[in-house]
Amino acid sequence: FIPHPQRGKFPILLWHGGGLTGVTYETTPDGREGWLNYFVKAGWSTYNSDAVERGRSGWAMYPDIFKGEPLFLTKENPFERFRIGQGSGSYNKDVTKMKVLPGSRFPVEGYDQFTRQIVPRWTTTDEPTLAAYTDLVDKVGPCVVVFHSQAGQFGFKVAQNRPDKVKALVAIEPSTGGDPSKAAALKGIPTLVVFGDFIEQDSRWPKIRENVINFLEVVKSAGGKPEVVDLPKLGIKGNSHMLMMDKNNLDVANVVQAWLVKQGLYQ
């Protein structure tokens, strides 16, 4: 999407997480405006992608081309793992019986609609996905990459492979970092990492966050200056793992926009 006038100095690339597609950024499950429109209206040229084997990118035969079999998420899985519900057994098809984390800003009334966005995914396609995203950066040219969850490794690794073409990284709750042995490649790339709420209450996310922070420490040791934002410390509370869909999603987008402006990437 190319707006007129363009105010972002470089295009923004939006990369989704595991089991999802670019629809993540298009709208919210309850029909509000998504981040795609937000950044286009702010004057950023915006490229919204479906990764290899997801959504509009389709998938190849397995095991002939893709090794292994696809994974299929249940309706319960994201509710319990994305810090929407109160852990195991918290999902119920009856909205009134869902055990939602107190203060959650996820639009649970649209949760069933959200699960219709979920697609099969592979655990064996990291290599072609990384290659495809690298090709995209080569094609689009200097750019800002905004990436979520599973795309953590892709965002960091593509930047490490193309440090001259990635002008900034915005990692939205990345599930992993990049290659520690190539940390120095990120030292000149402004990097923002954003985490939502309820992390300490979850069985998985404290460790996930710790691993990402450890990677960022390696980047700092190599001369980089990544910034970490915990939204509750800014007074932005109640965010799930899908913070671009939460009811305060535009408040979170404002944090990202303000940071990009501070980096001198907006005119």
Side-chain angles (χ1 to χ4, degrees):
F1 296 83
I2 312 297
H4 182 76
Q6 295 182 51
R7 300 193 62 192
K9 292 184 179 180
F10 306 101
I12 283 181
L13 309 187
L14 299 175
W15 297 354
H16 60 77
L20 299 168
T21 71
V23 173
T24 288
Y25 297 105
E26 291 179 3
T27 184
T28 68
D30 56 340
R32 289 172 292 109
E33 191 167 51
W35 280 17
L36 174 60
N37 278 10
Y38 174 94
F39 286 110
V40 172
K41 290 168 94 173
W44 294 90
S45 295
T46 308
Y47 292 76
N48 190 27
S49 300
D50 287 355
V52 170
E53 49 88 347
R54 305 289 177 81
R56 289 160 287 195
S57 291
W59 50 274
M61 293 185 295
Y62 64 91
D64 308 65
I65 299 175
F66 285 177
K67 306 305 177 185
E69 296 184 355
L71 300 178
F72 299 87
L73 297 181
T74 64
K75 277 193 173 184
E76 294 85 354
N77 185 288
F79 195 83
E80 297 171 357
R81 293 173 61 250
F82 289 0
R83 306 197 317 277
I84 300 169
Q86 300 176 33
S88 179
S90 59
Y91 171 76
N92 193 297
K93 61 182 179 181
D94 183 344
V95 176
T96 64
K97 295 180 181 179
M98 291 178 175
K99 298 177 182 177
V100 182
L101 282 165
S104 172
R105 301 301 302 276
F106 187 87
V108 291
E109 67 276 15
Y111 182 76
D112 185 65
Q113 187 67 26
F114 167 63
T115 61
R116 300 179 190 205
Q117 300 179 15
I118 296 172
V119 296
R121 60 164 291 196
W122 272 256
T123 60
T124 54
T125 56
D126 288 356
E127 185 176 339
T129 300
L130 181 61
Y133 276 142
T134 302
D135 285 347
L136 177 61
V137 168
D138 285 340
K139 180 177 181 178
V140 173
C143 59
V144 175
V145 184
V146 177
F147 51 99
H148 176 233
S149 194
Q150 183 212 11
Q153 63 163 317
F154 304 132
F156 288 120
K157 288 181 178 178
V158 169
Q160 289 173 321
N161 292 338
R162 298 292 188 272
D164 57 325
K165 294 183 178 179
V166 176
K167 298 303 180 180
L169 293 171
V170 179
I172 306 299
E173 293 215 344
S175 60
T176 185
D179 183 347
S181 70
K182 297 181 179 179
L186 300 177
K187 67 181 181 180
I189 302 176
T191 300
L192 176 68
V193 181
V194 181
F195 289 101
D197 212 335
F198 311 116
I199 286 178
E200 297 78 9
Q201 302 174 43
D202 189 79
S203 61
R204 300 165 54 250
W205 272 97
K207 185 61 178 178
I208 294 173
R209 185 184 186 282
E210 179 185 358
N211 290 340
V212 172
I213 296 300
N214 288 342
F215 170 72
L216 297 178
E217 289 299 323
V218 178
V219 175
K220 287 182 181 179
S221 298
K225 297 180 179 178
E227 300 177 44
V228 177
V229 168
D230 291 296
L231 293 175
K233 294 181 180 178
L234 298 182
I236 301 175
K237 299 181 178 181
N239 286 103
S240 70
H241 181 51
M242 303 302 300
L243 39 72
M244 70 289 294
M245 295 181 177
D246 292 330
K247 291 184 178 180
N248 59 354
N249 68 329
L250 299 187
D251 292 338
V252 182
N254 286 337
V255 171
V256 174
Q257 169 70 2
W259 182 83
L260 292 170
V261 171
K262 187 174 72 171
Q263 306 311 311
L265 300 171
Y266 195 69
Q267 57 194 3

